[in-house]
Amino acid sequence: MKWRIRMSTKGFNHKFRYEYCKIKNFILYYPKTLRATDRLMIEIRTRKGYDINIVGMPSHNLETLEKPASVALLPERIPFVKPRLKVKVDDPVKVGSPVFEDKRNSQLVFLSPGGGRIAKIDYGPRRVIKEIVIALDQDEGYETFPLISEAQLEGMERKKLVKTIMTGGLWPLFRELPFRDIPSPDVVPPSIIVSLNSREPFQPVPEVYLNDKVDLFEFGIKILNQLTETLFISSSPGNNFVPNRLNTHVTHTCEGVYPADDPGVLLYHIKKNPDENRSWYINGQDVLLLAMLFKTGKYPVDRTVVLGGSLAKEKKHFQTRMGVPLNHITKGRADDNGTARYVVGGIFKGYSEPEDSYMGFYETSLLLIPEGDEKEFLGFARPGYKKPSRSKAFLSVFNPSALPLDCNRHGEDRACVNCGFCAEVCPVDILPQFTYKSIIADEIEEALGHGLLDCVECGLCTYVCPSKVELSEVLKNTKKAYYLEQL
Amino acid sequence: MRSLKDFFESHREHFSEGGRFEKLHPFFDAVETLFFIPGIVTKTEPHVRDSLDLKRFMSLVIVALIPPLFFGIYNTGYQSNLASGLPVTFMAVSLKGLRIVLPIIIVSYAVGLAWETLFASIRKHSISEGFLVTGLLFPLTLPPTIPLWQVALGISFGVIFGKEIFGGTGRNFLNPALTGRAFLFFSYPMKMSGDAVWTVVSGVNNQAVDTFSGATPLVVSAVQGSADVIESLLVNAGFTLPKLFYGLYPGSIGGTSALMCLLGALLLIFTGIASYRIIFGGILGVLFAAFPGYIIGLIYGGSSIPMFALNPFYHLVMGGSAFGITYMATDPVSGPGMNISRWIYGFFIGALTVMIRIFNPAFPEGIMLAILFMNLFSPLLDHFAIQFRLKKRVPNV
């Protein structure tokens, strides 16, 4: 039996209160027989969004990669941080030695993902630090951090816990909505959202990265529970792994197309008052790192990453470490003659990097996509049985198979014609076309009123735009500028 | 294909900066991109983009316009030959139609494109594909007897004052094709209305002309003071409901056949290019506004305003309602962007069309005026729809 209910988020883990759902966009479900001791799994349905169906999706196989020759930290790719270096070239470092700190808060340190010596420090335009490369020793040294057992954790003061995570270099794993900056340690968040999987097709799936590590994950959940009163753990329905193994922990299942399980989308659907806007989130895989830091007393560098895209020969998961060189992952697995674009961090949100770059602190996905800089003869008039499109304007609407897609924009810049496709896919009900126009007209207040800050930067509005307007870039940059002005 | 590529490459230098035809670069660009989708790649995330672009978007509208266009050509030739007493075989009629319609379309495209190129050249941007639609929509709304200089004048007014002075495609608030038509309608009413303009009479056998009545259904039903029931008036003039639906009667070039518009509408709705909300809203509006009068007419007999008692379905199929609702009202730029306001916008277009026909028999062209009128209101409708929607948001500032 389906009930339209609205959930009270206050004291969620202990007490439930239901009201009739007034928000049109989602329907909540709860089990038929609900006992007082049962944890509630709430199903959230997002109608908007879009699942891209293109070739090159990774399989669930996992291969462990050997140790790379070097690893790197990319301060440029960590949002809002102003790095102050604590090392020089040729300095010896251990795994977990501080490499740089944030000028805004010197407690926020970023640790070395490898043991060896600093091989080079690369600067970009305006002296921005692009890469800090660490050449790895055969036997890496490890900095030691306090071991904390579950019993110790129970009675731990919040302040002390925060300090342990900060000195352990893992505080940046937490991000604060809506600007996705690293949160201030003094603030108690209204809630922390853990997103287990991503509907983005090129991100690691929990079946792989949580395999054999469920206990570790549960320990990580305990740590998070010490940090906040309200912990939301969301997962996508459709696979049995998470419901079976983590049934007692998952609070929300997010049904719907990409980006239904983005923490920002979840928050948009469950928040009831403005205080909740500043919730934090952390990736499912990163919870494991937290737990490992406490359990092993070492700075954890394990990462499960995904290699995908139509130009990758082997499309699957890899067990490797933080900051590995991109060509360490793609060696012998690229099918591109050097023409592929290397996209780090996902097809919608990632950035492109040269082949000799490294994986970032947050990124767990690497894609090899054809550049697609070829002209296409009479492209607009072709039937398009193999042209992927959300619209029904090509014959591909009758083609259910995964289709190839390259980095071509498939059209020139045009003025917005108000077709409204962007508003049809926006998962948080912004009206990107109107918001974009108010930004262009410098009406920032109006844009904020439209819900600009709810934007989860999923990139779908730009993806679908037939006029090829860079909507999400404009929204994102405006958000960022607004945040920097507030600081 | 390769030689075509080479052709563009070898002539590119003349049209790029410093070249002889530097000012004509937008034209060169428009022609080149017609043949080749340029190899522009993404610079920022998202790294992949949908295959749909504005060229495809607009060319689908052109495809949807093919049924009314071809039927319009046939019908124009058919009516002309019928009135002139010439043979009405398929070939003869089609050729005659082509001879009448093609010059109008060519003038419309050529003059409009010249203006577009001029503005694009001054503003240094490329020519938008929106004009391909405007340049074809406009001639289809004209009577076949229209002098070509008026076609040129109308499309010029439509492009300049309907679109370009507001900044070009995407920034116009009126439908450019209808703006041009409205300009002609009020400037040269003798050539745009009445019962003499809808059929080209030419040829050898002039005796047949005398027996020919050129009145359109709108003219027939706008006759005042008739005690007859309106439908019998129409049927007496030869306009039965099926005939009006199929469209083989004198009228504007593309606007007579509701059936052809229906085909176009189905394509537009299926591909999602036109908003089905506007189309259904329009149909609902026509039926809703025409129904009370029809009922009253049924109960109390004829009315002093014959149009008042007309069967609502007649309103849908005559006077270009179907054409207007399918192709003109659904223009995304001059229409509203919110779903709820699209329903309202469509509904009022339909309702106002009927209202104008009933209460202002001097301007029976209800659909044109209704669409232009609602164009003015679409920003307001959007404004209220957005305000209404924002109330439901949890603020995030």
Side-chain angles (χ1 to χ4, degrees), chain A residues 138-161:
Chain A
Q138 202 63 37
D139 289 313
E140 298 174 65
Y142 287 90
E143 300 277 356
T144 52
F145 296 95
L147 284 165
I148 294 162
S149 69
E150 290 189 29
Q152 279 171 300
L153 185 68
E154 294 277 308
M156 209 163 174
E157 226 181 300
R158 185 190 147 86
K159 235 178 182 169
K160 203 176 156 202
L161 179 66

PDB file of all heavy atoms in Angstrom, chain A residues 138-161:
ATOM      1  N   GLN A 138      60.655   2.151  -2.560  1.00  0.00           N
ATOM      2  CA  GLN A 138      60.275   0.747  -2.573  1.00  0.00           C
ATOM      3  C   GLN A 138      59.497   0.397  -1.301  1.00  0.00           C
ATOM      4  O   GLN A 138      58.406  -0.157  -1.362  1.00  0.00           O
ATOM      5  CB  GLN A 138      61.538  -0.121  -2.670  1.00  0.00           C
ATOM      6  CG  GLN A 138      61.313  -1.509  -3.201  1.00  0.00           C
ATOM      7  CD  GLN A 138      60.794  -1.477  -4.633  1.00  0.00           C
ATOM      8  OE1 GLN A 138      61.212  -0.625  -5.431  1.00  0.00           O
ATOM      9  NE2 GLN A 138      59.880  -2.367  -4.951  1.00  0.00           N
ATOM     10  N   ASP A 139      60.096   0.766  -0.152  1.00  0.00           N
ATOM     11  CA  ASP A 139      59.400   0.556   1.126  1.00  0.00           C
ATOM     12  C   ASP A 139      58.985   1.914   1.654  1.00  0.00           C
ATOM     13  O   ASP A 139      59.829   2.714   2.053  1.00  0.00           O
ATOM     14  CB  ASP A 139      60.342  -0.123   2.137  1.00  0.00           C
ATOM     15  CG  ASP A 139      60.590  -1.562   1.737  1.00  0.00           C
ATOM     16  OD1 ASP A 139      59.609  -2.251   1.417  1.00  0.00           O
ATOM     17  OD2 ASP A 139      61.776  -1.949   1.706  1.00  0.00           O
ATOM     18  N   GLU A 140      57.690   2.121   1.651  1.00  0.00           N
ATOM     19  CA  GLU A 140      57.224   3.440   2.060  1.00  0.00           C
ATOM     20  C   GLU A 140      57.117   3.515   3.571  1.00  0.00           C
ATOM     21  O   GLU A 140      56.726   2.548   4.228  1.00  0.00           O
ATOM     22  CB  GLU A 140      55.853   3.716   1.431  1.00  0.00           C
ATOM     23  CG  GLU A 140      55.897   3.725  -0.068  1.00  0.00           C
ATOM     24  CD  GLU A 140      54.517   3.858  -0.659  1.00  0.00           C
ATOM     25  OE1 GLU A 140      53.900   4.910  -0.454  1.00  0.00           O
ATOM     26  OE2 GLU A 140      54.050   2.909  -1.308  1.00  0.00           O
ATOM     27  N   GLY A 141      57.491   4.682   4.105  1.00  0.00           N
ATOM     28  CA  GLY A 141      57.309   4.899   5.535  1.00  0.00           C
ATOM     29  C   GLY A 141      55.909   5.415   5.810  1.00  0.00           C
ATOM     30  O   GLY A 141      55.267   5.992   4.944  1.00  0.00           O
ATOM     31  N   TYR A 142      55.416   5.164   7.009  1.00  0.00           N
ATOM     32  CA  TYR A 142      54.072   5.615   7.365  1.00  0.00           C
ATOM     33  C   TYR A 142      54.115   6.492   8.596  1.00  0.00           C
ATOM     34  O   TYR A 142      54.785   6.152   9.567  1.00  0.00           O
ATOM     35  CB  TYR A 142      53.158   4.413   7.645  1.00  0.00           C
ATOM     36  CG  TYR A 142      52.772   3.656   6.394  1.00  0.00           C
ATOM     37  CD1 TYR A 142      53.565   2.605   5.933  1.00  0.00           C
ATOM     38  CD2 TYR A 142      51.629   3.996   5.698  1.00  0.00           C
ATOM     39  CE1 TYR A 142      53.218   1.920   4.793  1.00  0.00           C
ATOM     40  CE2 TYR A 142      51.277   3.310   4.554  1.00  0.00           C
ATOM     41  CZ  TYR A 142      52.068   2.272   4.093  1.00  0.00           C
ATOM     42  OH  TYR A 142      51.717   1.600   2.962  1.00  0.00           O
ATOM     43  N   GLU A 143      53.456   7.622   8.558  1.00  0.00           N
ATOM     44  CA  GLU A 143      53.207   8.383   9.780  1.00  0.00           C
ATOM     45  C   GLU A 143      52.201   7.595  10.610  1.00  0.00           C
ATOM     46  O   GLU A 143      51.358   6.900  10.059  1.00  0.00           O
ATOM     47  CB  GLU A 143      52.608   9.753   9.447  1.00  0.00           C
ATOM     48  CG  GLU A 143      53.456  10.644   8.579  1.00  0.00           C
ATOM     49  CD  GLU A 143      54.513  11.403   9.377  1.00  0.00           C
ATOM     50  OE1 GLU A 143      54.521  11.274  10.622  1.00  0.00           O
ATOM     51  OE2 GLU A 143      55.328  12.101   8.747  1.00  0.00           O
ATOM     52  N   THR A 144      52.297   7.707  11.929  1.00  0.00           N
ATOM     53  CA  THR A 144      51.325   6.975  12.740  1.00  0.00           C
ATOM     54  C   THR A 144      50.291   7.922  13.316  1.00  0.00           C
ATOM     55  O   THR A 144      50.588   9.061  13.676  1.00  0.00           O
ATOM     56  CB  THR A 144      52.020   6.235  13.894  1.00  0.00           C
ATOM     57  OG1 THR A 144      52.834   7.169  14.582  1.00  0.00           O
ATOM     58  CG2 THR A 144      52.846   5.085  13.365  1.00  0.00           C
ATOM     59  N   PHE A 145      49.081   7.433  13.358  1.00  0.00           N
ATOM     60  CA  PHE A 145      47.965   8.182  13.927  1.00  0.00           C
ATOM     61  C   PHE A 145      47.355   7.327  15.029  1.00  0.00           C
ATOM     62  O   PHE A 145      47.533   6.103  15.033  1.00  0.00           O
ATOM     63  CB  PHE A 145      46.931   8.485  12.842  1.00  0.00           C
ATOM     64  CG  PHE A 145      47.464   9.372  11.758  1.00  0.00           C
ATOM     65  CD1 PHE A 145      47.989   8.842  10.596  1.00  0.00           C
ATOM     66  CD2 PHE A 145      47.463  10.754  11.923  1.00  0.00           C
ATOM     67  CE1 PHE A 145      48.489   9.664   9.607  1.00  0.00           C
ATOM     68  CE2 PHE A 145      47.969  11.577  10.934  1.00  0.00           C
ATOM     69  CZ  PHE A 145      48.480  11.032   9.782  1.00  0.00           C
ATOM     70  N   PRO A 146      46.648   7.947  15.973  1.00  0.00           N
ATOM     71  CA  PRO A 146      46.100   7.145  17.087  1.00  0.00           C
ATOM     72  C   PRO A 146      45.112   6.090  16.598  1.00  0.00           C
ATOM     73  O   PRO A 146      44.283   6.362  15.727  1.00  0.00           O
ATOM     74  CB  PRO A 146      45.396   8.195  17.957  1.00  0.00           C
ATOM     75  CG  PRO A 146      45.249   9.404  17.102  1.00  0.00           C
ATOM     76  CD  PRO A 146      46.380   9.370  16.127  1.00  0.00           C
ATOM     77  N   LEU A 147      45.248   4.898  17.167  1.00  0.00           N
ATOM     78  CA  LEU A 147      44.262   3.844  16.890  1.00  0.00           C
ATOM     79  C   LEU A 147      43.050   4.087  17.770  1.00  0.00           C
ATOM     80  O   LEU A 147      43.191   4.348  18.963  1.00  0.00           O
ATOM     81  CB  LEU A 147      44.864   2.480  17.230  1.00  0.00           C
ATOM     82  CG  LEU A 147      45.872   1.911  16.237  1.00  0.00           C
ATOM     83  CD1 LEU A 147      46.618   0.766  16.885  1.00  0.00           C
ATOM     84  CD2 LEU A 147      45.167   1.443  14.990  1.00  0.00           C
ATOM     85  N   ILE A 148      41.896   4.006  17.220  1.00  0.00           N
ATOM     86  CA  ILE A 148      40.680   4.244  18.016  1.00  0.00           C
ATOM     87  C   ILE A 148      39.728   3.075  17.830  1.00  0.00           C
ATOM     88  O   ILE A 148      39.327   2.749  16.705  1.00  0.00           O
ATOM     89  CB  ILE A 148      40.008   5.567  17.612  1.00  0.00           C
ATOM     90  CG1 ILE A 148      40.926   6.722  17.989  1.00  0.00           C
ATOM     91  CG2 ILE A 148      38.667   5.723  18.294  1.00  0.00           C
ATOM     92  CD1 ILE A 148      40.625   8.011  17.315  1.00  0.00           C
ATOM     93  N   SER A 149      39.382   2.445  18.921  1.00  0.00           N
ATOM     94  CA  SER A 149      38.477   1.302  18.844  1.00  0.00           C
ATOM     95  C   SER A 149      37.032   1.783  18.929  1.00  0.00           C
ATOM     96  O   SER A 149      36.772   2.958  19.199  1.00  0.00           O
ATOM     97  CB  SER A 149      38.752   0.340  19.998  1.00  0.00           C
ATOM     98  OG  SER A 149      38.357   0.967  21.202  1.00  0.00           O
ATOM     99  N   GLU A 150      36.115   0.871  18.691  1.00  0.00           N
ATOM    100  CA  GLU A 150      34.701   1.250  18.733  1.00  0.00           C
ATOM    101  C   GLU A 150      34.290   1.729  20.114  1.00  0.00           C
ATOM    102  O   GLU A 150      33.497   2.651  20.244  1.00  0.00           O
ATOM    103  CB  GLU A 150      33.845   0.057  18.298  1.00  0.00           C
ATOM    104  CG  GLU A 150      34.012  -0.227  16.833  1.00  0.00           C
ATOM    105  CD  GLU A 150      33.014  -1.262  16.335  1.00  0.00           C
ATOM    106  OE1 GLU A 150      31.921  -1.358  16.900  1.00  0.00           O
ATOM    107  OE2 GLU A 150      33.359  -1.957  15.362  1.00  0.00           O
ATOM    108  N   ALA A 151      34.858   1.083  21.140  1.00  0.00           N
ATOM    109  CA  ALA A 151      34.507   1.468  22.502  1.00  0.00           C
ATOM    110  C   ALA A 151      34.993   2.884  22.787  1.00  0.00           C
ATOM    111  O   ALA A 151      34.273   3.697  23.378  1.00  0.00           O
ATOM    112  CB  ALA A 151      35.131   0.487  23.489  1.00  0.00           C
ATOM    113  N   GLN A 152      36.227   3.178  22.364  1.00  0.00           N
ATOM    114  CA  GLN A 152      36.753   4.529  22.571  1.00  0.00           C
ATOM    115  C   GLN A 152      35.911   5.555  21.838  1.00  0.00           C
ATOM    116  O   GLN A 152      35.693   6.661  22.319  1.00  0.00           O
ATOM    117  CB  GLN A 152      38.195   4.607  22.064  1.00  0.00           C
ATOM    118  CG  GLN A 152      39.217   4.071  23.038  1.00  0.00           C
ATOM    119  CD  GLN A 152      40.570   3.975  22.357  1.00  0.00           C
ATOM    120  OE1 GLN A 152      40.708   3.270  21.370  1.00  0.00           O
ATOM    121  NE2 GLN A 152      41.541   4.681  22.885  1.00  0.00           N
ATOM    122  N   LEU A 153      35.463   5.170  20.671  1.00  0.00           N
ATOM    123  CA  LEU A 153      34.697   6.085  19.828  1.00  0.00           C
ATOM    124  C   LEU A 153      33.394   6.508  20.507  1.00  0.00           C
ATOM    125  O   LEU A 153      33.004   7.668  20.465  1.00  0.00           O
ATOM    126  CB  LEU A 153      34.393   5.402  18.491  1.00  0.00           C
ATOM    127  CG  LEU A 153      33.705   6.251  17.444  1.00  0.00           C
ATOM    128  CD1 LEU A 153      34.634   7.332  16.947  1.00  0.00           C
ATOM    129  CD2 LEU A 153      33.217   5.395  16.310  1.00  0.00           C
ATOM    130  N   GLU A 154      32.766   5.524  21.185  1.00  0.00           N
ATOM    131  CA  GLU A 154      31.472   5.782  21.831  1.00  0.00           C
ATOM    132  C   GLU A 154      31.540   7.006  22.743  1.00  0.00           C
ATOM    133  O   GLU A 154      30.713   7.890  22.671  1.00  0.00           O
ATOM    134  CB  GLU A 154      31.059   4.563  22.671  1.00  0.00           C
ATOM    135  CG  GLU A 154      30.774   3.323  21.865  1.00  0.00           C
ATOM    136  CD  GLU A 154      29.367   3.329  21.300  1.00  0.00           C
ATOM    137  OE1 GLU A 154      28.441   3.538  22.096  1.00  0.00           O
ATOM    138  OE2 GLU A 154      29.228   3.130  20.082  1.00  0.00           O
ATOM    139  N   GLY A 155      32.567   7.036  23.573  1.00  0.00           N
ATOM    140  CA  GLY A 155      32.612   8.094  24.579  1.00  0.00           C
ATOM    141  C   GLY A 155      33.384   9.320  24.137  1.00  0.00           C
ATOM    142  O   GLY A 155      33.613  10.231  24.927  1.00  0.00           O
ATOM    143  N   MET A 156      33.788   9.341  22.894  1.00  0.00           N
ATOM    144  CA  MET A 156      34.670  10.421  22.436  1.00  0.00           C
ATOM    145  C   MET A 156      33.932  11.748  22.320  1.00  0.00           C
ATOM    146  O   MET A 156      32.793  11.810  21.879  1.00  0.00           O
ATOM    147  CB  MET A 156      35.234  10.035  21.072  1.00  0.00           C
ATOM    148  CG  MET A 156      36.573  10.612  20.815  1.00  0.00           C
ATOM    149  SD  MET A 156      37.277   9.671  19.457  1.00  0.00           S
ATOM    150  CE  MET A 156      38.749  10.562  19.160  1.00  0.00           C
ATOM    151  N   GLU A 157      34.640  12.780  22.747  1.00  0.00           N
ATOM    152  CA  GLU A 157      34.081  14.123  22.628  1.00  0.00           C
ATOM    153  C   GLU A 157      34.072  14.528  21.167  1.00  0.00           C
ATOM    154  O   GLU A 157      34.997  14.184  20.428  1.00  0.00           O
ATOM    155  CB  GLU A 157      34.995  15.079  23.383  1.00  0.00           C
ATOM    156  CG  GLU A 157      34.293  16.062  24.281  1.00  0.00           C
ATOM    157  CD  GLU A 157      35.328  16.959  24.933  1.00  0.00           C
ATOM    158  OE1 GLU A 157      36.194  16.412  25.645  1.00  0.00           O
ATOM    159  OE2 GLU A 157      35.274  18.171  24.684  1.00  0.00           O
ATOM    160  N   ARG A 158      33.084  15.271  20.758  1.00  0.00           N
ATOM    161  CA  ARG A 158      33.009  15.657  19.355  1.00  0.00           C
ATOM    162  C   ARG A 158      34.244  16.436  18.902  1.00  0.00           C
ATOM    163  O   ARG A 158      34.807  16.210  17.847  1.00  0.00           O
ATOM    164  CB  ARG A 158      31.755  16.513  19.144  1.00  0.00           C
ATOM    165  CG  ARG A 158      31.521  16.855  17.694  1.00  0.00           C
ATOM    166  CD  ARG A 158      30.441  17.880  17.497  1.00  0.00           C
ATOM    167  NE  ARG A 158      30.770  18.689  16.337  1.00  0.00           N
ATOM    168  CZ  ARG A 158      30.460  18.379  15.082  1.00  0.00           C
ATOM    169  NH1 ARG A 158      29.772  17.307  14.841  1.00  0.00           N
ATOM    170  NH2 ARG A 158      30.828  19.148  14.085  1.00  0.00           N
ATOM    171  N   LYS A 159      34.674  17.365  19.791  1.00  0.00           N
ATOM    172  CA  LYS A 159      35.810  18.211  19.440  1.00  0.00           C
ATOM    173  C   LYS A 159      37.055  17.364  19.157  1.00  0.00           C
ATOM    174  O   LYS A 159      37.805  17.599  18.203  1.00  0.00           O
ATOM    175  CB  LYS A 159      36.104  19.163  20.596  1.00  0.00           C
ATOM    176  CG  LYS A 159      36.110  20.608  20.151  1.00  0.00           C
ATOM    177  CD  LYS A 159      36.355  21.516  21.318  1.00  0.00           C
ATOM    178  CE  LYS A 159      36.318  22.960  20.851  1.00  0.00           C
ATOM    179  NZ  LYS A 159      36.290  23.897  21.957  1.00  0.00           N
ATOM    180  N   LYS A 160      37.235  16.350  20.026  1.00  0.00           N
ATOM    181  CA  LYS A 160      38.422  15.506  19.890  1.00  0.00           C
ATOM    182  C   LYS A 160      38.331  14.656  18.620  1.00  0.00           C
ATOM    183  O   LYS A 160      39.317  14.467  17.900  1.00  0.00           O
ATOM    184  CB  LYS A 160      38.516  14.588  21.121  1.00  0.00           C
ATOM    185  CG  LYS A 160      39.923  14.103  21.366  1.00  0.00           C
ATOM    186  CD  LYS A 160      39.988  13.283  22.644  1.00  0.00           C
ATOM    187  CE  LYS A 160      41.180  12.344  22.553  1.00  0.00           C
ATOM    188  NZ  LYS A 160      41.023  11.207  23.440  1.00  0.00           N
ATOM    189  N   LEU A 161      37.128  14.214  18.354  1.00  0.00           N
ATOM    190  CA  LEU A 161      36.907  13.399  17.155  1.00  0.00           C
ATOM    191  C   LEU A 161      37.232  14.213  15.895  1.00  0.00           C
ATOM    192  O   LEU A 161      37.936  13.751  14.995  1.00  0.00           O
ATOM    193  CB  LEU A 161      35.456  12.931  17.132  1.00  0.00           C
ATOM    194  CG  LEU A 161      35.030  12.083  15.944  1.00  0.00           C
ATOM    195  CD1 LEU A 161      35.762  10.760  15.961  1.00  0.00           C
ATOM    196  CD2 LEU A 161      33.531  11.864  15.955  1.00  0.00           C
TER     197      LEU A 161
END
